């Protein structure tokens, strides 16, 4: 029996288990990229628009962190704005897939069943990598097709697809290694995500420290970019030269990581990781002893991640807020329409507040879906068998989540206000205005999270897809995308974010906020009462 | 004597499947009550209804004098529960979970917690994701048993425990009985129930098959004997023997405990070469005793009872 025996059967099993998840990832990312490409094509009508926008992105060091300018083309501009996002999502798709079929199977005991059958030592790992690489290749093709369909040149589109998928390929290798290191799937995902964060940081730093060439439209990256898989992808310069040789370091890194993963897999015991599980306290601290303490503890890890992300987001975008004053053309027009004011800086800050509100809404959906996960995975049984009732548990989750949302929003106001105050002056005034503006987002977020609670209570089996669909629809029909997508007004009115005050650009009025709050409370009450009156769907 | 749990005509349906079909269960205050049945018979569903986690579709349920669905929170202060499948939070330690569940229930006896950790040899400093199934079971057991409550609901609590820990568990349950607590112990292991319980309720396919003390359910305490003799034993028609099958100089039968002596005296005449005796397995009881009664209402229990097996054979010279 070879060490790879059973790979084909296991790969087929993995494909069967992922028959929904991977197609959704691939098609979803391709659709996202295609719609962003189409929006860019529609927005940048003249050659001068393209030159202005590209110059703006290339000339501003902080904005250079986000994307690499490769010359004045529509496709190139779309790459500056969306390459990093797509590359990160492609990497996450690959990491989750590899970990799902290696470490997660092992942790849940499924792999033990399989491992006892005719399966070689490396069969599970090889099957997971094989399936994920296939997904990456398909992603490259579909991204290229999507961008071509959106009206971008085919050569650049497929280079872009390959560049994004190459990041996915490297992180397939990274996850193959982290799955050997950590003994839990969360740990394996977390280590790979940390590597992804570093990769983004290096590519951003490389571009930030890079230099603009004579035309002012093309950035030459500094050395840190060359340490990062995201940087390698950017150096393929889609729509700006279409170089394929930077694919070489990505493939080389993938092969090397696979070798490391194989060596580690041959050295460790089944079910164990190379990193020992850390011990914890033998007694609970007083803060944990209660339903609210438990809920806070369960949310802690995710909330810390969100806090770091939102602080960084505020600092970076606050720091570049003075440069929007030089903005011209369609971009200025977009901000003016979005904020409903000619004060371009206020309109810009309003768009940031709106983005932060939607990001925090994503966070609340993620946190509140724990209600459902705790039920289907079983720990809820132990909680509800104690003197904690269902209503108290649900409302505890809701209130804790809303409090978390308020804190995250205020953190964003703080970091944005401090950074913007540095470049624009009047820090205390900006902090005050931003604090009010972010808190005005809260009722919109509460409505979205109220939908999650209602879904968990009323439609438990569909709670996860329903919740994410409501969130996605609210974002797409909201003020940032709804008008750009030409959605009809009645549809835009369905999004809670449409009714949130556009502060600080315009004044905050009480009526819509009161109405949104009332709707959110109604939804929560509906969800809580339904949850109180139904059977729990506990594991068998 | 007052009643801790009273269930009659309990019905629970999951879609088209009827999990509980007019089930009856009565547990007296202060007794250790065995709740016996093969996998899939409805033990866990019954206990989840007793906890108000599931809502009954028919019949009446009373727990500690209250309605488990309506008065869940008030009743839960007076009971402790060990689930059959222990699912915990992977990033909390065992010690944290024990303290937390105790606090949520309304308090924990810290002295008892320390003693139980010592007796079950559980390391409370490990993260729950690092525990084996048996150790997760111990976390739930210590959390429940360290609580000073009236009623303990234990759903197959010893699954995953090794024999040494099973003995510790049995000692702890006996102490609870001496302290006058009520215990409902669900199990598919006959010997465990026989060792601990005052009374037993046997269910199959969601319905109560029988209920009583072990003295009343004499067939539960019969011994199954297999014997090989040098001389053919001939037809065995002795008082107290059942299910007799004889083939040449081998015989197999079950015998009531107070008749065992007489039967052995009879067998000695034929010059015994080997003899094994064993308590009946739950599988045998279900196959032999309840099958006739069950004809016509499906054979779910006979199908599932084949999965349970209790190995406990003594060899006599």
């Amino acid at each position: 029996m070879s060490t790879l025996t059973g790979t084909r059967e296991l790969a087929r099993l993995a494909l069967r288990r992922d028959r929904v998840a991977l197609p959704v990832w691939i098609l979803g990312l391709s659709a996202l990229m295609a719609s962003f490409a189409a929006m860019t094509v529609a927005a940048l009508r003249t050659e001068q628009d393209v030159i202005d926008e590209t110059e703006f992105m290339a000339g501003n060091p902080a904005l250079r962190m986000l994307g690499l300018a490769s010359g004045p083309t529509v496709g190139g501009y779309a790459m500056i704005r969306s390459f990093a996002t797509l590359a990160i999502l492609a990497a996450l798709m690959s990491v989750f897939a590899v970990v799902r079929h290696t470490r997660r199977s092992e942790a849940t005991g499924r792999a033990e069943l399989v491992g006892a059958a005719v399966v070689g030592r490396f069969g599970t790992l090889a099957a997971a990598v094989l399936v994920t690489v296939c997904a990456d290749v398909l992603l490259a093709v579909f991204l290229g097709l999507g961008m071509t369909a959106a009206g971008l040149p085919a050569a650049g589109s497929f280079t872009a697809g390959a560049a994004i998928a190459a990041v996915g390929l490297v992180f397939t290798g990274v996850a193959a290694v982290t799955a050997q290191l950590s003994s839990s799937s969360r740990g394996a995902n977390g280590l790979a995500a940390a590597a992804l964060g570093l990769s983004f940081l290096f590519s951003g730093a490389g571009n930030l420290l890079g230099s603009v060439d004579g035309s002012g439209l093309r950035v030459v990256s500094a050395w840190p970019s060359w340490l990062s898989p995201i940087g390698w992808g950017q150096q393929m310069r889609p729509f700006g030269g279409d170089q394929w040789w930077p694919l070489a370091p990505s493939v080389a890194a993938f092969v090397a990581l696979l070798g490391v993963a194989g060596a580690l897999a041959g050295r460790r015991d089944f079910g164990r990781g190379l990193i020992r599980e850390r011990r914890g306290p033998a007694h609970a601290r007083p803060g944990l002893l209660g339903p609210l303490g438990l809920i806070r503890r369960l949310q802690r890890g995710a909330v810390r991640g969100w806090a770091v992300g939102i602080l960084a987001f505020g600092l970076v975008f606050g720091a570049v807020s003075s440069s929007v004053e030089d903005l011209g053309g369609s971009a200025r027009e977009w901000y003016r329409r979005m904020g409903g004011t000619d004060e371009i800086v206020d309109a810009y800050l309003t768009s940031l507040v709106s983005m932060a509100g939607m990001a925090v809404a994503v966070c609340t959906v993620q946190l509140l879906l724990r209600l459902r996960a705790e039920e289907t995975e079983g720990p809820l049984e132990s909680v509800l068998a104690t003197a904690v009732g269902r209503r108290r548990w649900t409302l505890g989750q809701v209130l804790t989540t809303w409090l978390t949302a308020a804190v995250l929003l205020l953190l964003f106001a703080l970091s944005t206000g401090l950074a913007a105050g540095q470049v624009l002056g009047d820090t205390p005034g900006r902090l005050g205005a931003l604090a009010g503006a972010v808190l005005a987002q809260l009722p919109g977020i509460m409505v979205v999270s109220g939908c999650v609670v209602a879904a968990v209570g009323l439609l438990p089996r569909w709670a996860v897809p329903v919740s994410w669909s409501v969130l996605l629809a609210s974002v797409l029909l909201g003020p940032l995308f709804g008008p750009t997508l030409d959605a009809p007004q009645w549809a835009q009115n369905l999004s809670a974010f449409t009714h949130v005050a556009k502060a600080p650009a315009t004044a905050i009025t009480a009526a819509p906020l009161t109405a949104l709050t009332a709707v959110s409370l109604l939804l929560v009450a509906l969800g809580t009462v339904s949850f109180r009156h139904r059977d729990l769907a506990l594991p068998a | 004597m007052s009643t801790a749990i009273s269930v009659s005509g309990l019905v629970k349906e999951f879609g088209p499947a009827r999990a509980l079909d007019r089930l009856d269960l009565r547990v007296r205050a202060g007794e250790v009550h065995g709740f016996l049945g093969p996998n899939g018979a409805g033990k866990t569903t019954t206990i989840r209804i007793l906890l108000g986690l599931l809502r009954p579709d028919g019949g009446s349920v009373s727990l500690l004098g209250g309605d488990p669905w309506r008065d869940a929170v008030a009743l839960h202060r007076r009971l402790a529960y060990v689930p059959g499948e222990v699912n915990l939070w992977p990033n909390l330690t065992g010690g944290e979970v024990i303290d937390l569940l105790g606090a949520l229930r309304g308090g924990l006896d810290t002295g008892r917690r320390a003693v139980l950790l010592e007796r079950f040899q559980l390391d409370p400093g490990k993260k729950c994701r690092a525990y084996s199934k048996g150790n997760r079971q111990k976390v739930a057991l210590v959390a429940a048993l360290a609580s000073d409550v009236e009623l303990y609901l234990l759903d197959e609590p010893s699954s995953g425990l090794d024999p040494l820990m099973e003995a510790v568990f049995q000692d702890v349950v006996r102490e609870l009985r001496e302290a006058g607590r009520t215990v409902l112990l669900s199990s598919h292991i006959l010997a465990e129930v026989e060792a601990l319980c005052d009374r037993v309720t046997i269910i199959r396919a969601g319905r109560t098959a029988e209920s009583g003390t072990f003295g009343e359910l004499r067939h539960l305490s019969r011994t199954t004997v297999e014997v090989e003799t040098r001389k053919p034993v001939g037809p065995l028609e002795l008082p107290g023997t059942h299910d007799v099958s004889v083939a040449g100089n081998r015989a197999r039968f079950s015998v009531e405990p107070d008749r065992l002596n007489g039967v052995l005296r009879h067998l000695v005449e034929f010059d015994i070469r080997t003899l094994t005796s064993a308590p009946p397995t739950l599988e045998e009881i279900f196959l032999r005793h309840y099958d006739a009664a069950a004809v016509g209402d499906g054979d779910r229990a006979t199908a599932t009872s084949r999965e349970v097996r209790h190995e406990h054979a003594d060899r006599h010279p």
Side-chain angles (χ1 to χ4, degrees), chain A residues 183-184 186-187 277-285 288-291 293-294 297-298 374 377-390 392-393 531-540, chain B residues 12-14 44 48 51-56 69-73 76-77 79 81 83-85 87-96 99-101 103-106 113 123-127 129-130:
Chain A
S183 60
S184 72
R186 272 169 73 151
E277 190 68 52
R278 266 186 309 172
R279 292 174 57 82
H283 287 272
R285 286 191 309 193
L288 178 63
L289 297 177
L294 173 61
R297 173 67 177 273
L298 295 176
E374 295 279 315
E377 288 164 16
L380 183 61
E381 182 174 22
S382 295
V383 173
L384 294 186
T386 68
V388 177
R390 300 190 196 191
R392 187 163 161 217
W393 177 250
F531 185 59
R532 173 72 185 82
H533 288 281
R534 70 169 171 83
D535 282 349
L536 293 184
L538 297 165
Chain B
K12 179 68 197 173
E13 284 159 350
F14 294 112
T44 298
R48 283 178 175 169
L51 285 164
L53 300 174
L54 299 177
R55 186 173 211 164
W69 179 263
R70 210 187 49 225
D71 313 324
V73 171
H76 291 176
R77 284 183 213 287
L79 63 83
Y81 169 53
E85 189 67 41
N87 297 293
L88 302 168
W89 302 276
N91 49 345
L92 266 63
T93 64
E96 285 178 319
D99 289 344
L100 174 70
L101 291 178
L104 295 182
R105 197 174 284 128
R113 175 194 192 269
D123 173 0
K126 273 168 96 172
K127 296 276 174 70
R129 73 165 74 90

Side-chain angles (χ1 to χ4, degrees), chain A residues 18-32 93 139:
Chain A
D18 278 356
R19 67 192 182 283
V20 177
L22 281 178
V24 164
W25 268 101
I26 293 169
L27 296 177
L29 290 187
S30 306
L32 184 68
M93 172 185 89
L139 178 66

Side-chain angles (χ1 to χ4, degrees), chain A residues 141-227:
Chain A
V141 173
F142 277 95
L143 284 171
L145 288 174
M147 278 183 272
T148 312
L152 295 177
S157 297
F158 283 95
T159 311
I164 290 167
V167 181
L169 184 74
V170 176
F171 278 89
T172 303
V174 170
V177 173
T178 60
Q180 314 305 320
L181 294 179
S182 171
S183 60
S184 72
S185 54
R186 272 169 73 151
N189 282 332
L191 282 174
L196 185 58
L198 273 181
S199 170
F200 177 71
L201 215 63
F202 274 101
S203 74
N207 296 337
L208 183 130
L209 299 171
S211 53
V212 189
D213 73 357
S215 67
L217 298 169
R218 190 179 171 99
V219 173
V220 180
S221 306
W223 59 269
S225 282
W226 293 97
L227 299 176

Side-chain angles (χ1 to χ4, degrees), chain B residues 43-204:
Chain B
K43 301 189 295 289
T44 298
T45 304
T46 307
I47 291 178
R48 283 178 175 169
I49 288 175
L50 289 174
L51 285 164
L53 300 174
L54 299 177
R55 186 173 211 164
D57 292 321
S60 67
V61 186
S62 156
L63 179 92
L64 299 173
D67 175 346
W69 179 263
R70 210 187 49 225
D71 313 324
V73 171
L75 292 175
H76 291 176
R77 284 183 213 287
R78 300 161 61 193
L79 63 83
Y81 169 53
V82 175
E85 189 67 41
V86 181
N87 297 293
L88 302 168
W89 302 276
N91 49 345
L92 266 63
T93 64
E96 285 178 319
V97 169
I98 291 167
D99 289 344
L100 174 70
L101 291 178
L104 295 182
R105 197 174 284 128
L108 196 71
D109 181 337
T110 49
R112 214 170 138 62
R113 175 194 192 269
V115 170
L116 286 167
L117 282 177
E118 177 70 32
R119 285 173 74 179
F120 279 111
Q121 293 168 21
L122 177 69
D123 173 0
K126 273 168 96 172
K127 296 276 174 70
C128 286
R129 73 165 74 90
Y131 284 127
S132 65
K133 177 175 163 48
N135 279 329
R136 285 203 306 270
Q137 198 78 35
K138 288 183 194 172
V139 171
L141 274 171
V142 173
L145 298 173
S147 302
D148 186 17
V149 291
E150 294 165 50
L151 172 66
Y152 296 83
L153 298 174
L154 312 178
D155 190 2
E156 307 214 354
S158 57
S159 61
L161 296 188
D162 60 45
L164 220 60
M165 289 301 128
E166 167 78 32
V168 173
F169 167 71
Q170 295 197 3
D171 286 344
V172 176
V173 172
R174 281 189 201 98
E175 290 161 18
L176 290 179
R177 179 172 51 191
E178 278 156 29
R181 308 304 159 84
T182 312
V183 179
L184 178 65
L185 173 68
S186 112
S187 178
H188 63 248
I189 302 168
L190 190 59
E192 178 180 81
V193 172
E194 192 169 8
L196 291 174
C197 298
D198 307 299
R199 293 194 322 130
V200 58
T201 294
I202 299 179
I203 67 165
R204 53 147 294 162

